Amino acid sequence: MKKIASVLVFCGLIMNCAQEQKIEPVPVIAPLKVEASPAKSVAMVEEPQVEEEAQPSTNDQITTSRRNAITNAVEKASPAIVSITVTEVERGYNRVMDPFFSRFFQMPTEREVKSMGSGFIISEDGLVVTNEHVASSSARKIMVALANGETYEAELLGSDELADLALLKIKEPKKKMPYIKFSNSDNAMVGEWAIAMGNPFGLFDDGKASVTVGVISATKRDFRPDPQEPRVYIDMIQTDAAINRGNSGGPLVNSEGEVIGVNTFIYTGGTSGGFVGLGFAIPSNRVKKIIKQLEESGQVSLDFDPGMEFTPMTSKLVYQYGLPSIPGLFVTSVNKNGPAYDCGIMPGDIITKIGDIRVSSEMHAWALMREYQEGEKMKLILVRGNNKYETTMTLRKRVKGK
């Protein structure tokens, strides 16, 4: 028993000593750096370092996400849009008092008047398309401002009042000009994007185009806005893209950045002088046909000779010859060797329709005839006496000046 007790006492002493002694944690020793020997370092082959691709910044990503068909089209077309400043001479009279005779008389006066419009370049040598009411034959000086700030003087190659189109040529361009291409206006779809570009109200001297966006509202619209003017607009493209004064002559562009028409006039319906959602553009296919002749000869002529002469119906003709009071063209003479004679037209006939369109004036008739070419057939509706006839004219020859 004494031995057992002594053993227990000894164990207790050991435990008390262990509790009083604090056990420190073993420090972690970092591994030694082993430097390679010169011989080994020569023998080692370094692996090529692969450069990490630069990641686009957040701003670049945002800019990319904002791009769409419209912004791409504007970026493509903008360099070719120009602002046109035309200087014309306005003539008038002032009342002047003559002290010797003590009476007034009219003194002729002249003054320069400036107006602004828009246009677009169609070739690298500087051909510019615009409206005739922007740059006509009465222009004394024509200046063209590009989007990059460059300014050039331009000359008028030709203009056509009936189609309201003019063709300019930039004088001595310093370099190849940026230009825009025509689209096939026959493929224009109602509802597709339409972008009007130009310099509204001549507000911007830097030449940079303003952009408005809408859709093609309709196609093949015929208009004669002012009965006192000879202009006749046929097959016009209607758009709700905002067009205002100064936009005249600028392009109507599709989502591919190509010209589908030339912005020409707006219809206000008598409500105001500003845009109300009805703008009209001359279709590009008609523009191409007109400017081709303007470039060649400076004027537009028929591609055929109708072989007859006519005059618009008037009340004087109705009473003088006892004719029916209907709108149309009174045939005054027929060439026996021409296509009109071949299809049975005679002097005294009244032409009421060309194709399927009713004729409203002589200018309207010439505009309708321009839609035909030599070799084609043109249907005519005419009145002789109290009877209505239909005939088809086979077009041949070409006559200049009309």
Side-chain angles (χ1 to χ4, degrees):
M1 290 294 291
K2 290 181 179 180
K3 291 182 179 180
I4 295 172
S6 61
V7 172
L8 292 173
V9 171
F10 179 76
C11 292
L13 292 172
I14 294 174
M15 291 178 66
N16 290 334
C17 291
Q19 289 176 358
E20 292 176 0
Q21 185 179 4
K22 293 181 180 179
I23 302 175
E24 299 291 337
V26 179
V28 178
I29 302 175
L32 296 176
K33 294 182 180 179
V34 181
E35 295 183 358
S37 63
K40 288 184 179 180
S41 60
V42 172
M44 290 175 65
V45 179
E46 294 183 358
E47 295 183 1
Q49 296 181 353
V50 180
E51 295 184 0
E52 295 184 1
E53 295 183 0
Q55 297 296 325
S57 65
T58 304
N59 290 337
D60 292 338
Q61 292 176 351
I62 293 174
T63 300
T64 302
S65 67
R66 287 161 51 203
R67 288 189 174 276
N68 53 42
I70 295 174
T71 60
N72 292 337
V74 170
E75 184 177 11
K76 180 179 178 181
S78 290
I81 313 303
V82 299
S83 179
I84 301 174
T85 303
V86 178
T87 303
E88 295 181 318
V89 176
E90 187 178 84
R91 293 178 172 84
Y93 294 91
N94 286 336
R95 295 187 66 190
V96 180
M97 177 68 178
D98 188 340
F100 183 77
F101 292 101
S102 299
R103 66 180 64 182
F104 290 97
F105 65 92
Q106 300 289 344
M107 174 70 72
T109 60
E110 290 185 356
R111 65 170 183 166
E112 289 188 349
V113 179
K114 289 187 177 182
S115 61
M116 296 192 71
S118 304
F120 54 96
I121 304 173
I122 61 170
S123 67
E124 61 182 17
D125 61 344
L127 289 177
V128 178
V129 173
T130 187
N131 284 134
E132 189 271 346
H133 73 261
V134 172
S136 64
S137 56
S138 62
R140 172 172 287 185
K141 187 176 183 180
I142 304 173
M143 300 299 296
V144 173
L146 276 63
N148 60 7
E150 295 179 354
T151 303
Y152 296 91
E153 187 174 355
E155 61 178 328
L156 181 67
L157 295 184
S159 62
D160 184 69
E161 186 179 11
L162 183 58
D164 200 3
L165 289 170
L167 183 65
L168 312 178
K169 175 70 169 65
I170 294 176
K171 294 182 179 180
E172 300 178 357
K174 301 176 183 178
K175 56 186 178 181
K176 292 183 178 179
M177 294 286 104
Y179 63 93
I180 189 172
K181 295 182 179 179
F182 284 106
S183 176
N184 184 355
S185 56
D186 290 341
N187 295 334
M189 297 182 293
V190 175
E192 74 168 299
W193 289 117
I195 307 167
M197 306 182 71
N199 189 2
F201 302 106
L203 293 175
F204 309 107
D205 296 332
D206 57 7
K208 292 183 180 179
S210 292
V211 177
T212 55
V213 179
V215 298
I216 295 178
S217 305
T219 59
K220 299 187 181 301
R221 298 293 202 197
D222 294 346
F223 276 96
R224 189 180 182 191
D226 188 348
Q228 304 302 321
E229 294 185 1
R231 294 190 184 101
V232 178
Y233 300 106
I234 298 176
D235 291 343
M236 300 291 282
I237 296 173
Q238 180 184 332
T239 180
D240 63 348
I243 298 173
N244 289 289
R245 297 183 184 277
N247 276 115
S248 293
L252 187 67
V253 178
N254 61 16
S255 57
E256 296 179 349
E258 297 178 344
V259 177
I260 54 177
V262 176
N263 301 323
T264 302
F265 73 93
I266 60 175
Y267 182 77
T268 63
T271 58
S272 68
F275 181 74
V276 294
L278 292 171
F280 296 89
I282 304 171
S284 60
N285 287 0
R286 181 185 304 279
V287 176
K288 288 187 289 185
K289 184 186 298 184
I290 297 297
I291 63 174
K292 181 180 179 181
Q293 293 193 45
L294 292 179
E295 184 178 9
E296 291 175 351
S297 62
Q299 62 181 357
V300 179
S301 59
L302 289 180
D303 195 45
F304 56 90
D305 180 5
M308 62 177 174
E309 295 181 354
F310 46 76
T311 186
M313 286 289 293
T314 62
S315 57
K316 182 178 179 180
L317 289 174
V318 171
Y319 288 114
Q320 184 175 357
Y321 297 102
L323 302 173
S325 182
I326 56 175
L329 303 173
F330 181 70
V331 179
T332 57
S333 65
V334 176
N335 182 357
K336 291 185 178 181
N337 297 319
Y341 182 84
D342 293 342
C343 71
I345 297 178
M346 298 175 60
D349 290 345
I350 302 172
I351 299 173
T352 58
K353 282 187 178 181
I354 296 177
D356 296 323
I357 302 177
R358 179 173 291 278
V359 178
S360 60
S361 67
E362 184 178 4
M363 287 293 103
H364 189 204
W366 290 119
L368 293 173
M369 288 182 181
R370 284 182 177 182
E371 299 304 300
Y372 297 87
Q373 297 180 357
E374 183 179 358
E376 294 182 344
K377 295 182 181 297
M378 182 171 65
K379 184 178 73 172
L380 299 171
I381 303 295
L382 54 92
V383 173
R384 182 181 299 164
N386 294 321
N387 299 317
K388 183 182 293 186
Y389 297 92
E390 178 180 325
T391 185
T392 302
M393 181 187 296
T394 301
L395 307 176
R396 63 179 191 270
K397 294 182 181 180
R398 178 176 178 174
V399 59
K400 294 184 178 181
K402 274 293 187 182

